[in-house]
PDB file of all heavy atoms in Angstrom:
ATOM      1  N   MET N   1     165.703 217.487  54.067  1.00 98.00           N
ATOM      2  CA  MET N   1     164.734 218.358  54.736  1.00 98.00           C
ATOM      3  C   MET N   1     163.462 217.574  55.088  1.00 98.00           C
ATOM      4  O   MET N   1     162.946 217.656  56.211  1.00 98.00           O
ATOM      5  CB  MET N   1     164.386 219.534  53.822  1.00 98.00           C
ATOM      6  CG  MET N   1     163.432 220.540  54.438  1.00 98.00           C
ATOM      7  SD  MET N   1     164.264 221.494  55.719  1.00 98.00           S
ATOM      8  CE  MET N   1     163.053 222.776  56.001  1.00 98.00           C
ATOM      9  N   CYS N   2     162.985 216.795  54.143  1.00 98.00           N
ATOM     10  CA  CYS N   2     161.775 216.002  54.360  1.00 98.00           C
ATOM     11  C   CYS N   2     161.986 214.993  55.488  1.00 98.00           C
ATOM     12  O   CYS N   2     161.099 214.788  56.336  1.00 98.00           O
ATOM     13  CB  CYS N   2     161.393 215.284  53.069  1.00 98.00           C
ATOM     14  SG  CYS N   2     159.853 214.363  53.166  1.00 98.00           S
ATOM     15  N   ALA N   3     163.161 214.387  55.524  1.00 98.00           N
ATOM     16  CA  ALA N   3     163.474 213.393  56.560  1.00 98.00           C
ATOM     17  C   ALA N   3     163.400 214.008  57.951  1.00 98.00           C
ATOM     18  O   ALA N   3     162.849 213.410  58.883  1.00 98.00           O
ATOM     19  CB  ALA N   3     164.868 212.820  56.309  1.00 98.00           C
ATOM     20  N   SER N   4     163.932 215.213  58.101  1.00 98.00           N
ATOM     21  CA  SER N   4     163.934 215.853  59.421  1.00 98.00           C
ATOM     22  C   SER N   4     162.522 216.216  59.863  1.00 98.00           C
ATOM     23  O   SER N   4     162.156 216.046  61.024  1.00 98.00           O
ATOM     24  CB  SER N   4     164.831 217.101  59.413  1.00 98.00           C
ATOM     25  OG  SER N   4     164.273 218.136  58.644  1.00 98.00           O
ATOM     26  N   VAL N   5     161.704 216.688  58.922  1.00 98.00           N
ATOM     27  CA  VAL N   5     160.330 217.092  59.259  1.00 98.00           C
ATOM     28  C   VAL N   5     159.490 215.859  59.620  1.00 98.00           C
ATOM     29  O   VAL N   5     158.773 215.839  60.631  1.00 98.00           O
ATOM     30  CB  VAL N   5     159.683 217.866  58.086  1.00 98.00           C
ATOM     31  CG1 VAL N   5     158.213 218.184  58.389  1.00 98.00           C
ATOM     32  CG2 VAL N   5     160.449 219.158  57.813  1.00 98.00           C
ATOM     33  N   ALA N   6     159.594 214.812  58.812  1.00 98.00           N
ATOM     34  CA  ALA N   6     158.810 213.592  59.069  1.00 98.00           C
ATOM     35  C   ALA N   6     159.256 212.916  60.363  1.00 98.00           C
ATOM     36  O   ALA N   6     158.426 212.458  61.163  1.00 98.00           O
ATOM     37  CB  ALA N   6     158.947 212.627  57.896  1.00 98.00           C
ATOM     38  N   GLY N   7     160.563 212.866  60.590  1.00 98.00           N
ATOM     39  CA  GLY N   7     161.094 212.233  61.800  1.00 98.00           C
ATOM     40  C   GLY N   7     160.641 212.929  63.065  1.00 98.00           C
ATOM     41  O   GLY N   7     160.360 212.276  64.082  1.00 98.00           O
ATOM     42  N   LYS N   8     160.538 214.232  63.015  1.00 98.00           N
ATOM     43  CA  LYS N   8     160.121 214.993  64.204  1.00 98.00           C
ATOM     44  C   LYS N   8     158.632 214.802  64.503  1.00 98.00           C
ATOM     45  O   LYS N   8     158.164 215.167  65.574  1.00 98.00           O
ATOM     46  CB  LYS N   8     160.463 216.475  64.024  1.00 98.00           C
ATOM     47  CG  LYS N   8     161.962 216.718  64.185  1.00 98.00           C
ATOM     48  CD  LYS N   8     162.354 218.146  63.904  1.00 98.00           C
ATOM     49  CE  LYS N   8     163.867 218.291  63.994  1.00 98.00           C
ATOM     50  NZ  LYS N   8     164.321 219.636  63.659  1.00 98.00           N
ATOM     51  N   ARG N   9     157.906 214.224  63.555  1.00 97.00           N
ATOM     52  CA  ARG N   9     156.499 213.875  63.798  1.00 97.00           C
ATOM     53  C   ARG N   9     156.377 212.486  64.409  1.00 97.00           C
ATOM     54  O   ARG N   9     155.276 211.978  64.596  1.00 97.00           O
ATOM     55  CB  ARG N   9     155.724 213.926  62.492  1.00 97.00           C
ATOM     56  CG  ARG N   9     155.543 215.323  61.902  1.00 97.00           C
ATOM     57  CD  ARG N   9     154.842 215.292  60.545  1.00 97.00           C
ATOM     58  NE  ARG N   9     153.651 214.452  60.583  1.00 97.00           N
ATOM     59  CZ  ARG N   9     153.418 213.419  59.772  1.00 97.00           C
ATOM     60  NH1 ARG N   9     154.309 213.077  58.853  1.00 97.00           N
ATOM     61  NH2 ARG N   9     152.317 212.717  59.874  1.00 97.00           N
ATOM     62  N   GLY N  10     157.526 211.856  64.670  1.00 97.00           N
ATOM     63  CA  GLY N  10     157.511 210.529  65.276  1.00 97.00           C
ATOM     64  C   GLY N  10     157.506 209.394  64.278  1.00 97.00           C
ATOM     65  O   GLY N  10     157.360 208.228  64.657  1.00 97.00           O
ATOM     66  N   ARG N  11     157.672 209.721  62.994  1.00 98.00           N
ATOM     67  CA  ARG N  11     157.719 208.684  61.966  1.00 98.00           C
ATOM     68  C   ARG N  11     159.124 208.103  61.898  1.00 98.00           C
ATOM     69  O   ARG N  11     160.110 208.830  62.019  1.00 98.00           O
ATOM     70  CB  ARG N  11     157.350 209.272  60.601  1.00 98.00           C
ATOM     71  CG  ARG N  11     155.994 209.965  60.568  1.00 98.00           C
ATOM     72  CD  ARG N  11     154.860 208.976  60.593  1.00 98.00           C
ATOM     73  NE  ARG N  11     154.594 208.455  59.240  1.00 98.00           N
ATOM     74  CZ  ARG N  11     153.898 207.361  59.003  1.00 98.00           C
ATOM     75  NH1 ARG N  11     153.436 206.630  60.016  1.00 98.00           N
ATOM     76  NH2 ARG N  11     153.675 206.959  57.759  1.00 98.00           N
ATOM     77  N   SER N  12     159.231 206.806  61.674  1.00 98.00           N
ATOM     78  CA  SER N  12     160.557 206.223  61.430  1.00 98.00           C
ATOM     79  C   SER N  12     160.909 206.517  59.975  1.00 98.00           C
ATOM     80  O   SER N  12     160.095 206.320  59.076  1.00 98.00           O
ATOM     81  CB  SER N  12     160.561 204.723  61.698  1.00 98.00           C
ATOM     82  OG  SER N  12     159.643 204.057  60.864  1.00 98.00           O
ATOM     83  N   VAL N  13     162.125 207.042  59.758  1.00 98.00           N
ATOM     84  CA  VAL N  13     162.514 207.535  58.434  1.00 98.00           C
ATOM     85  C   VAL N  13     163.849 206.933  58.012  1.00 98.00           C
ATOM     86  O   VAL N  13     164.806 206.908  58.796  1.00 98.00           O
ATOM     87  CB  VAL N  13     162.628 209.077  58.422  1.00 98.00           C
ATOM     88  CG1 VAL N  13     163.017 209.571  57.029  1.00 98.00           C
ATOM     89  CG2 VAL N  13     161.331 209.728  58.871  1.00 98.00           C
ATOM     90  N   LEU N  14     163.910 206.494  56.763  1.00 98.00           N
ATOM     91  CA  LEU N  14     165.153 206.004  56.173  1.00 98.00           C
ATOM     92  C   LEU N  14     165.378 206.750  54.859  1.00 98.00           C
ATOM     93  O   LEU N  14     164.480 206.829  54.022  1.00 98.00           O
ATOM     94  CB  LEU N  14     165.055 204.493  55.903  1.00 98.00           C
ATOM     95  CG  LEU N  14     166.234 203.852  55.170  1.00 98.00           C
ATOM     96  CD1 LEU N  14     167.528 203.951  55.973  1.00 98.00           C
ATOM     97  CD2 LEU N  14     165.916 202.392  54.831  1.00 98.00           C
ATOM     98  N   VAL N  15     166.593 207.310  54.694  1.00 98.00           N
ATOM     99  CA  VAL N  15     166.966 208.008  53.460  1.00 98.00           C
ATOM    100  C   VAL N  15     168.031 207.185  52.749  1.00 98.00           C
ATOM    101  O   VAL N  15     169.035 206.805  53.357  1.00 98.00           O
ATOM    102  CB  VAL N  15     167.526 209.421  53.750  1.00 98.00           C
ATOM    103  CG1 VAL N  15     167.795 210.171  52.442  1.00 98.00           C
ATOM    104  CG2 VAL N  15     166.580 210.216  54.637  1.00 98.00           C
ATOM    105  N   LEU N  16     167.812 206.922  51.457  1.00 98.00           N
ATOM    106  CA  LEU N  16     168.777 206.161  50.662  1.00 98.00           C
ATOM    107  C   LEU N  16     169.295 207.004  49.498  1.00 98.00           C
ATOM    108  O   LEU N  16     168.528 207.753  48.879  1.00 98.00           O
ATOM    109  CB  LEU N  16     168.127 204.889  50.095  1.00 98.00           C
ATOM    110  CG  LEU N  16     167.537 203.903  51.103  1.00 98.00           C
ATOM    111  CD1 LEU N  16     166.922 202.721  50.372  1.00 98.00           C
ATOM    112  CD2 LEU N  16     168.589 203.433  52.103  1.00 98.00           C
ATOM    113  N   ASP N  17     170.596 206.871  49.213  1.00 96.00           N
ATOM    114  CA  ASP N  17     171.171 207.591  48.075  1.00 96.00           C
ATOM    115  C   ASP N  17     172.248 206.723  47.435  1.00 96.00           C
ATOM    116  O   ASP N  17     172.995 206.046  48.138  1.00 96.00           O
ATOM    117  CB  ASP N  17     171.778 208.929  48.516  1.00 96.00           C
ATOM    118  CG  ASP N  17     171.940 209.898  47.352  1.00 96.00           C
ATOM    119  OD1 ASP N  17     172.733 209.606  46.428  1.00 96.00           O
ATOM    120  OD2 ASP N  17     171.280 210.949  47.357  1.00 96.00           O
ATOM    121  N   HIS N  18     172.316 206.766  46.092  1.00 95.00           N
ATOM    122  CA  HIS N  18     173.303 205.934  45.397  1.00 95.00           C
ATOM    123  C   HIS N  18     174.708 206.550  45.431  1.00 95.00           C
ATOM    124  O   HIS N  18     175.689 205.863  45.169  1.00 95.00           O
ATOM    125  CB  HIS N  18     172.880 205.707  43.942  1.00 95.00           C
ATOM    126  CG  HIS N  18     172.952 206.941  43.090  1.00 95.00           C
ATOM    127  ND1 HIS N  18     172.046 207.963  43.198  1.00 95.00           N
ATOM    128  CD2 HIS N  18     173.825 207.319  42.123  1.00 95.00           C
ATOM    129  CE1 HIS N  18     172.355 208.918  42.324  1.00 95.00           C
ATOM    130  NE2 HIS N  18     173.429 208.553  41.666  1.00 95.00           N
ATOM    131  N   ALA N  19     174.808 207.844  45.772  1.00 93.00           N
ATOM    132  CA  ALA N  19     176.113 208.514  45.792  1.00 93.00           C
ATOM    133  C   ALA N  19     176.923 208.097  47.019  1.00 93.00           C
ATOM    134  O   ALA N  19     176.407 207.469  47.944  1.00 93.00           O
ATOM    135  CB  ALA N  19     175.915 210.021  45.779  1.00 93.00           C
ATOM    136  N   ASN N  20     178.198 208.500  47.018  1.00 93.00           N
ATOM    137  CA  ASN N  20     179.070 208.125  48.140  1.00 93.00           C
ATOM    138  C   ASN N  20     178.956 209.074  49.324  1.00 93.00           C
ATOM    139  O   ASN N  20     179.466 208.805  50.401  1.00 93.00           O
ATOM    140  CB  ASN N  20     180.535 208.038  47.683  1.00 93.00           C
ATOM    141  CG  ASN N  20     181.044 209.369  47.132  1.00 93.00           C
ATOM    142  OD1 ASN N  20     180.268 210.270  46.856  1.00 93.00           O
ATOM    143  ND2 ASN N  20     182.347 209.472  46.979  1.00 93.00           N
ATOM    144  N   LYS N  21     178.303 210.235  49.128  1.00 94.00           N
ATOM    145  CA  LYS N  21     178.066 211.145  50.247  1.00 94.00           C
ATOM    146  C   LYS N  21     176.809 211.969  49.980  1.00 94.00           C
ATOM    147  O   LYS N  21     176.371 212.092  48.830  1.00 94.00           O
ATOM    148  CB  LYS N  21     179.268 212.055  50.494  1.00 94.00           C
ATOM    149  CG  LYS N  21     179.664 212.952  49.348  1.00 94.00           C
ATOM    150  CD  LYS N  21     180.924 213.743  49.716  1.00 94.00           C
ATOM    151  CE  LYS N  21     181.406 214.589  48.543  1.00 94.00           C
ATOM    152  NZ  LYS N  21     182.652 215.306  48.858  1.00 94.00           N
ATOM    153  N   VAL N  22     176.263 212.542  51.038  1.00 96.00           N
ATOM    154  CA  VAL N  22     175.000 213.290  50.903  1.00 96.00           C
ATOM    155  C   VAL N  22     175.261 214.727  50.444  1.00 96.00           C
ATOM    156  O   VAL N  22     176.362 215.247  50.610  1.00 96.00           O
ATOM    157  CB  VAL N  22     174.224 213.304  52.240  1.00 96.00           C
ATOM    158  CG1 VAL N  22     173.999 211.895  52.760  1.00 96.00           C
ATOM    159  CG2 VAL N  22     174.926 214.163  53.284  1.00 96.00           C
ATOM    160  N   GLY N  23     174.226 215.341  49.882  1.00 95.00           N
ATOM    161  CA  GLY N  23     174.243 216.778  49.600  1.00 95.00           C
ATOM    162  C   GLY N  23     175.305 217.257  48.635  1.00 95.00           C
ATOM    163  O   GLY N  23     175.790 218.387  48.757  1.00 95.00           O
ATOM    164  N   LYS N  24     175.642 216.439  47.642  1.00 92.00           N
ATOM    165  CA  LYS N  24     176.718 216.827  46.721  1.00 92.00           C
ATOM    166  C   LYS N  24     176.429 218.145  45.990  1.00 92.00           C
ATOM    167  O   LYS N  24     177.306 218.982  45.817  1.00 92.00           O
ATOM    168  CB  LYS N  24     176.955 215.719  45.690  1.00 92.00           C
ATOM    169  CG  LYS N  24     177.834 214.586  46.186  1.00 92.00           C
ATOM    170  CD  LYS N  24     178.228 213.677  45.031  1.00 92.00           C
ATOM    171  CE  LYS N  24     179.344 212.733  45.440  1.00 92.00           C
ATOM    172  NZ  LYS N  24     179.823 211.944  44.290  1.00 92.00           N
ATOM    173  N   LYS N  25     175.179 218.303  45.550  1.00 92.00           N
ATOM    174  CA  LYS N  25     174.838 219.518  44.795  1.00 92.00           C
ATOM    175  C   LYS N  25     174.839 220.747  45.708  1.00 92.00           C
ATOM    176  O   LYS N  25     175.166 221.853  45.284  1.00 92.00           O
ATOM    177  CB  LYS N  25     173.471 219.349  44.128  1.00 92.00           C
ATOM    178  CG  LYS N  25     173.475 219.766  42.663  1.00 92.00           C
ATOM    179  CD  LYS N  25     172.176 219.431  41.977  1.00 92.00           C
ATOM    180  CE  LYS N  25     171.973 220.370  40.804  1.00 92.00           C
ATOM    181  NZ  LYS N  25     170.683 220.197  40.154  1.00 92.00           N
ATOM    182  N   ILE N  26     174.477 220.543  46.967  1.00 95.00           N
ATOM    183  CA  ILE N  26     174.534 221.640  47.936  1.00 95.00           C
ATOM    184  C   ILE N  26     175.982 222.093  48.089  1.00 95.00           C
ATOM    185  O   ILE N  26     176.284 223.289  48.086  1.00 95.00           O
ATOM    186  CB  ILE N  26     173.992 221.211  49.318  1.00 95.00           C
ATOM    187  CG1 ILE N  26     172.556 220.728  49.217  1.00 95.00           C
ATOM    188  CG2 ILE N  26     174.102 222.359  50.324  1.00 95.00           C
ATOM    189  CD1 ILE N  26     172.004 220.131  50.511  1.00 95.00           C
ATOM    190  N   LEU N  27     176.884 221.144  48.212  1.00 95.00           N
ATOM    191  CA  LEU N  27     178.294 221.454  48.464  1.00 95.00           C
ATOM    192  C   LEU N  27     178.916 222.282  47.346  1.00 95.00           C
ATOM    193  O   LEU N  27     179.742 223.157  47.608  1.00 95.00           O
ATOM    194  CB  LEU N  27     179.092 220.161  48.663  1.00 95.00           C
ATOM    195  CG  LEU N  27     178.776 219.380  49.941  1.00 95.00           C
ATOM    196  CD1 LEU N  27     179.426 218.006  49.912  1.00 95.00           C
ATOM    197  CD2 LEU N  27     179.226 220.152  51.184  1.00 95.00           C
ATOM    198  N   MET N  28     178.516 222.024  46.089  1.00 92.00           N
ATOM    199  CA  MET N  28     179.136 222.756  44.988  1.00 92.00           C
ATOM    200  C   MET N  28     178.365 224.029  44.611  1.00 92.00           C
ATOM    201  O   MET N  28     178.829 224.825  43.812  1.00 92.00           O
ATOM    202  CB  MET N  28     179.294 221.851  43.759  1.00 92.00           C
ATOM    203  CG  MET N  28     178.016 221.246  43.195  1.00 92.00           C
ATOM    204  SD  MET N  28     176.967 222.303  42.166  1.00 92.00           S
ATOM    205  CE  MET N  28     178.000 222.450  40.721  1.00 92.00           C
ATOM    206  N   SER N  29     177.208 224.234  45.203  1.00 92.00           N
ATOM    207  CA  SER N  29     176.352 225.352  44.798  1.00 92.00           C
ATOM    208  C   SER N  29     176.901 226.701  45.274  1.00 92.00           C
ATOM    209  O   SER N  29     177.611 226.789  46.269  1.00 92.00           O
ATOM    210  CB  SER N  29     174.936 225.158  45.342  1.00 92.00           C
ATOM    211  OG  SER N  29     174.952 225.269  46.751  1.00 92.00           O
ATOM    212  N   GLY N  30     176.528 227.729  44.525  1.00 90.00           N
ATOM    213  CA  GLY N  30     176.913 229.090  44.910  1.00 90.00           C
ATOM    214  C   GLY N  30     178.406 229.289  45.025  1.00 90.00           C
ATOM    215  O   GLY N  30     178.880 230.023  45.895  1.00 90.00           O
ATOM    216  N   GLY N  31     179.173 228.612  44.130  1.00 90.00           N
ATOM    217  CA  GLY N  31     180.627 228.742  44.203  1.00 90.00           C
ATOM    218  C   GLY N  31     181.196 228.212  45.501  1.00 90.00           C
ATOM    219  O   GLY N  31     182.225 228.675  45.988  1.00 90.00           O
ATOM    220  N   GLY N  32     180.488 227.210  46.087  1.00 93.00           N
ATOM    221  CA  GLY N  32     180.955 226.618  47.339  1.00 93.00           C
ATOM    222  C   GLY N  32     180.438 227.310  48.575  1.00 93.00           C
ATOM    223  O   GLY N  32     180.815 226.967  49.702  1.00 93.00           O
ATOM    224  N   ARG N  33     179.522 228.298  48.379  1.00 96.00           N
ATOM    225  CA  ARG N  33     178.964 229.010  49.540  1.00 96.00           C
ATOM    226  C   ARG N  33     177.454 228.867  49.664  1.00 96.00           C
ATOM    227  O   ARG N  33     176.869 229.407  50.592  1.00 96.00           O
ATOM    228  CB  ARG N  33     179.357 230.487  49.490  1.00 96.00           C
ATOM    229  CG  ARG N  33     180.850 230.681  49.762  1.00 96.00           C
ATOM    230  CD  ARG N  33     181.177 232.092  50.136  1.00 96.00           C
ATOM    231  NE  ARG N  33     182.559 232.210  50.563  1.00 96.00           N
ATOM    232  CZ  ARG N  33     183.143 233.338  50.898  1.00 96.00           C
ATOM    233  NH1 ARG N  33     182.443 234.473  50.843  1.00 96.00           N
ATOM    234  NH2 ARG N  33     184.399 233.383  51.288  1.00 96.00           N
ATOM    235  N   CYS N  34     176.836 228.159  48.746  1.00 97.00           N
ATOM    236  CA  CYS N  34     175.415 227.808  48.811  1.00 97.00           C
ATOM    237  C   CYS N  34     174.478 229.009  48.932  1.00 97.00           C
ATOM    238  O   CYS N  34     174.278 229.557  50.012  1.00 97.00           O
ATOM    239  CB  CYS N  34     175.131 226.834  49.958  1.00 97.00           C
ATOM    240  SG  CYS N  34     173.437 226.190  49.882  1.00 97.00           S
ATOM    241  N   ASN N  35     173.886 229.367  47.810  1.00 97.00           N
ATOM    242  CA  ASN N  35     172.856 230.416  47.788  1.00 97.00           C
ATOM    243  C   ASN N  35     171.543 229.758  48.227  1.00 97.00           C
ATOM    244  O   ASN N  35     170.748 229.327  47.415  1.00 97.00           O
ATOM    245  CB  ASN N  35     172.770 230.969  46.366  1.00 97.00           C
ATOM    246  CG  ASN N  35     171.715 232.030  46.164  1.00 97.00           C
ATOM    247  OD1 ASN N  35     171.391 232.355  45.043  1.00 97.00           O
ATOM    248  ND2 ASN N  35     171.162 232.564  47.240  1.00 97.00           N
ATOM    249  N   PHE N  36     171.347 229.682  49.563  1.00 98.00           N
ATOM    250  CA  PHE N  36     170.346 228.788  50.142  1.00 98.00           C
ATOM    251  C   PHE N  36     168.904 229.264  50.076  1.00 98.00           C
ATOM    252  O   PHE N  36     167.975 228.489  50.264  1.00 98.00           O
ATOM    253  CB  PHE N  36     170.711 228.420  51.586  1.00 98.00           C
ATOM    254  CG  PHE N  36     170.888 229.608  52.510  1.00 98.00           C
ATOM    255  CD1 PHE N  36     169.804 230.238  53.083  1.00 98.00           C
ATOM    256  CD2 PHE N  36     172.163 230.073  52.811  1.00 98.00           C
ATOM    257  CE1 PHE N  36     169.954 231.317  53.942  1.00 98.00           C
ATOM    258  CE2 PHE N  36     172.337 231.152  53.674  1.00 98.00           C
ATOM    259  CZ  PHE N  36     171.230 231.789  54.241  1.00 98.00           C
ATOM    260  N   THR N  37     168.678 230.557  49.830  1.00 98.00           N
ATOM    261  CA  THR N  37     167.313 231.042  49.589  1.00 98.00           C
ATOM    262  C   THR N  37     167.390 232.446  49.015  1.00 98.00           C
ATOM    263  O   THR N  37     168.484 232.989  48.785  1.00 98.00           O
ATOM    264  CB  THR N  37     166.440 231.019  50.855  1.00 98.00           C
ATOM    265  OG1 THR N  37     165.057 231.207  50.482  1.00 98.00           O
ATOM    266  CG2 THR N  37     166.812 232.110  51.846  1.00 98.00           C
ATOM    267  N   ASN N  38     166.238 233.043  48.772  1.00 98.00           N
ATOM    268  CA  ASN N  38     166.177 234.411  48.271  1.00 98.00           C
ATOM    269  C   ASN N  38     165.125 235.183  49.061  1.00 98.00           C
ATOM    270  O   ASN N  38     164.017 234.694  49.285  1.00 98.00           O
ATOM    271  CB  ASN N  38     165.818 234.415  46.779  1.00 98.00           C
ATOM    272  CG  ASN N  38     166.075 235.773  46.151  1.00 98.00           C
ATOM    273  OD1 ASN N  38     165.403 236.758  46.463  1.00 98.00           O
ATOM    274  ND2 ASN N  38     167.062 235.836  45.263  1.00 98.00           N
ATOM    275  N   LEU N  39     165.501 236.386  49.484  1.00 98.00           N
ATOM    276  CA  LEU N  39     164.600 237.224  50.288  1.00 98.00           C
ATOM    277  C   LEU N  39     163.292 237.533  49.567  1.00 98.00           C
ATOM    278  O   LEU N  39     162.274 237.785  50.203  1.00 98.00           O
ATOM    279  CB  LEU N  39     165.296 238.557  50.635  1.00 98.00           C
ATOM    280  CG  LEU N  39     166.505 238.483  51.559  1.00 98.00           C
ATOM    281  CD1 LEU N  39     167.160 239.862  51.672  1.00 98.00           C
ATOM    282  CD2 LEU N  39     166.104 237.976  52.951  1.00 98.00           C
ATOM    283  N   TYR N  40     163.324 237.533  48.250  1.00 98.00           N
ATOM    284  CA  TYR N  40     162.156 237.961  47.479  1.00 98.00           C
ATOM    285  C   TYR N  40     161.400 236.794  46.833  1.00 98.00           C
ATOM    286  O   TYR N  40     160.683 236.980  45.852  1.00 98.00           O
ATOM    287  CB  TYR N  40     162.591 238.972  46.403  1.00 98.00           C
ATOM    288  CG  TYR N  40     163.367 240.126  46.986  1.00 98.00           C
ATOM    289  CD1 TYR N  40     164.669 240.405  46.564  1.00 98.00           C
ATOM    290  CD2 TYR N  40     162.817 240.920  47.992  1.00 98.00           C
ATOM    291  CE1 TYR N  40     165.391 241.449  47.117  1.00 98.00           C
ATOM    292  CE2 TYR N  40     163.537 241.967  48.555  1.00 98.00           C
ATOM    293  CZ  TYR N  40     164.820 242.231  48.119  1.00 98.00           C
ATOM    294  OH  TYR N  40     165.535 243.263  48.670  1.00 98.00           O
ATOM    295  N   THR N  41     161.542 235.603  47.397  1.00 98.00           N
ATOM    296  CA  THR N  41     160.876 234.436  46.816  1.00 98.00           C
ATOM    297  C   THR N  41     159.362 234.647  46.714  1.00 98.00           C
ATOM    298  O   THR N  41     158.715 235.035  47.684  1.00 98.00           O
ATOM    299  CB  THR N  41     161.132 233.180  47.672  1.00 98.00           C
ATOM    300  OG1 THR N  41     162.538 232.970  47.772  1.00 98.00           O
ATOM    301  CG2 THR N  41     160.495 231.951  47.024  1.00 98.00           C
ATOM    302  N   ALA N  42     158.835 234.386  45.525  1.00 98.00           N
ATOM    303  CA  ALA N  42     157.388 234.472  45.276  1.00 98.00           C
ATOM    304  C   ALA N  42     157.063 233.495  44.144  1.00 98.00           C
ATOM    305  O   ALA N  42     157.949 233.109  43.374  1.00 98.00           O
ATOM    306  CB  ALA N  42     157.006 235.897  44.880  1.00 98.00           C
ATOM    307  N   PRO N  43     155.811 233.089  44.023  1.00 98.00           N
ATOM    308  CA  PRO N  43     155.437 232.141  42.957  1.00 98.00           C
ATOM    309  C   PRO N  43     155.843 232.592  41.554  1.00 98.00           C
ATOM    310  O   PRO N  43     156.108 231.751  40.686  1.00 98.00           O
ATOM    311  CB  PRO N  43     153.917 232.049  43.096  1.00 98.00           C
ATOM    312  CG  PRO N  43     153.663 232.321  44.543  1.00 98.00           C
ATOM    313  CD  PRO N  43     154.670 233.363  44.930  1.00 98.00           C
ATOM    314  N   ASP N  44     155.914 233.907  41.332  1.00 97.00           N
ATOM    315  CA  ASP N  44     156.280 234.414  40.007  1.00 97.00           C
ATOM    316  C   ASP N  44     157.717 234.080  39.624  1.00 97.00           C
ATOM    317  O   ASP N  44     158.101 234.257  38.461  1.00 97.00           O
ATOM    318  CB  ASP N  44     156.098 235.938  39.950  1.00 97.00           C
ATOM    319  CG  ASP N  44     154.636 236.342  39.948  1.00 97.00           C
ATOM    320  OD1 ASP N  44     153.786 235.459  39.771  1.00 97.00           O
ATOM    321  OD2 ASP N  44     154.348 237.541  40.132  1.00 97.00           O
TER     322      ASP N  44
END
């Protein structure tokens, strides 16, 4: 997410990861369906 935001500001961006593919935790989250946000998000 940070890479996309910074890149769109014209910054050159490089993302490095030691894993063999990106977003591993995203892929397994929510039973494979990714609970990507919550309608009621608040600081509490």
Side-chain angles (χ1 to χ4, degrees):
M1 183 72 169
C2 184
S4 70
V5 175
K8 285 175 184 177
R9 291 176 48 236
R11 304 286 277 163
S12 60
V13 181
L14 175 63
V15 185
L16 302 179
D17 200 295
H18 69 287
N20 60 346
K21 60 183 176 183
V22 305
K24 278 191 167 186
K25 227 173 154 185
I26 301 173
L27 292 170
M28 59 79 70
S29 68
R33 290 198 172 177
C34 189
N35 178 194
F36 57 81
T37 193
N38 194 293
L39 294 174
Y40 306 121
T41 302
D44 289 348

